[in-house]
Amino acid sequence: MEFHENLHDMGVKEGLKGRKLHKSVESFTWNITILKGQADLLKHARAEVLENLKQIHYAALTCNLAKGGAGPSSGSESRGRRSLEAIPEKAVGENDITDEEN
């Protein structure tokens, strides 16, 4: 933004005149506008990512998934805790099928 304030003078100093000077100032202004927009998008994305990480952290603490045992449960409860592995399905025999399923 510091260059934008002195851009016209810098262009004249470099030998730009008339239409070329106007076009260069206009292009610079357009590029600054685009960069500001991209910076705003990045700021919002960063804030959203930080919020998501915070929610994941709190969810892990709530479910006792955090390393180091920092959480509301005692050691005896953590031994009985289920892992996140898939639960195997029970085999369904022919006698277990009801009329509604046919």
Side-chain angles (χ1 to χ4, degrees), residues 7-84:
L7 187 61
H8 189 271
D9 296 334
M10 289 172 59
V12 170
K13 184 179 176 182
E14 292 297 320
L16 297 176
K17 298 177 187 174
R19 185 178 170 127
K20 281 192 173 190
L21 178 62
H22 178 71
K23 190 154 179 86
S24 65
V25 170
E26 188 177 301
S27 294
F28 187 85
T29 304
W30 175 255
N31 290 338
I32 289 294
T33 304
I34 297 297
L35 289 173
K36 279 183 175 180
Q38 293 297 314
D40 287 343
L41 288 174
L42 285 172
K43 285 178 189 175
H44 291 297
R46 182 177 187 269
E48 188 175 337
V49 165
L50 289 174
E51 180 63 29
N52 290 342
L53 284 173
K54 190 186 316 179
Q55 289 179 8
I56 290 168
H57 174 73
Y58 290 138
L61 288 176
T62 301
C63 298
N64 289 327
L65 297 175
K67 288 185 177 181
S73 69
S74 66
S76 63
E77 291 177 13
S78 64
R79 276 186 252 125
R81 173 175 83 207
R82 288 185 159 194
S83 68
L84 296 177

